[in-house]
Amino acid sequence: IAGITQAPTSQILAAGRRMTLRCTQDMRHNAMYWYRQDLGLGLRLIHYSNTAGTTGKGEVPDGYSVSRANTDDFPLTLASAVPSQTSVYFCASSESGLNTGELFFGEGSRLTVL
Amino acid sequence: GQNIDQPTEMTATEGAIVQINCTYQTSGFNGLFWYQQHAGEAPTFLSYNVLDGLEEKGRFSSFLSRSKGYSYLLLKELQMKDSASYLCAGTDSNYQLIWGAGTKLIIKP
């Protein structure tokens, strides 16, 4: 089934550890995004990529990094996790970076930093 | 500033109609989305409005007034499976999405 796959589904992590959340899509979409979702807040954009080889900062980029080596993969790395990064992380993709069409979301990665 | 406002929670009865409102303020505006999100799941696309007016899609309709910075999602013939959060999102001048916190809709028998 075509779509977006995220891994891991959930993870408990000690503060200070490095963590990479994986995201792969097989729809050949140009644009990919990482969001975090916290109770009482809207989805907040962390980083995005409008096409392979390019990335951009979203609303809350601090403490996170991304890479886009190819069209399909868009990993999110927490270099040194802190408790405030406890959240549900969603990867998403769209045909273009203009956000004029549907966003397709992965199932989410629930991260707890202790 | 940029802001999307929608009610935190609404309750409705199975078989009834409910309207979920959304007001937005974005620096430049290119369109408005509605997504549905069931608890513990990913958001899924419902509608996208660019022009003023009502767009109907089965039991769900979405309305936009650009001059008033206002949109609503109308759900008819409510079913128990419609219990979910409904997310409103507007695009800004850089074509990035600004999301509301979501409206949790509770359907009672």
Side-chain angles (χ1 to χ4, degrees), chain A residues 37 42 45 98-100 103 106, chain B residues 33 35 37 42 48 95-96 99-100:
Chain A
Q37 188 174 41
L45 183 65
L98 294 180
N99 276 313
T100 55
L103 270 183
Chain B
F33 290 86
Y35 282 78
Q37 186 177 25
Y48 175 52
Y95 295 96
Q96 293 302 333
W99 295 82

Side-chain angles (χ1 to χ4, degrees), chain B residues 35 57-58 69 82 86 96:
Chain B
Y35 282 78
K57 194 184 296 185
D82 297 330
Y86 291 85
Q96 293 302 333

Side-chain angles (χ1 to χ4, degrees), chain A residues 33 35 37 40-43 45 48 50 90 97-103 105-107 110, chain B residues 30 33 35 37 40-45 48 87 91 94-102:
Chain A
Y33 312 84
Y35 286 95
Q37 188 174 41
L41 299 177
L43 288 163
L45 183 65
Y48 66 93
N50 286 333
F90 286 102
L98 294 180
N99 276 313
T100 55
E102 180 178 353
L103 270 183
F105 286 86
E107 289 305 306
R110 183 176 295 277
Chain B
N30 291 296
F33 290 86
Y35 282 78
Q37 186 177 25
E41 298 183 6
T44 55
F45 172 82
Y48 175 52
L87 314 181
T91 52
N94 294 319
Y95 295 96
Q96 293 302 333
L97 286 175
I98 308 298
W99 295 82

Side-chain angles (χ1 to χ4, degrees), chain A residues 44-97:
Chain A
R44 290 184 291 169
L45 183 65
I46 304 169
H47 285 286
Y48 66 93
S49 168
N50 286 333
T51 188
T54 68
T55 62
K57 293 181 179 180
E59 180 185 356
V60 287
D62 294 344
Y64 306 94
S65 64
V66 292
S67 62
R68 187 90 183 277
N70 56 60
T71 298
D72 298 344
D73 300 302
F74 191 45
L76 176 75
T77 297
L78 290 67
S80 178
V82 294
S84 61
Q85 292 178 311
T86 293
S87 187
V88 180
Y89 291 86
F90 286 102
C91 180
S93 73
S94 61
E95 288 189 10
S96 82

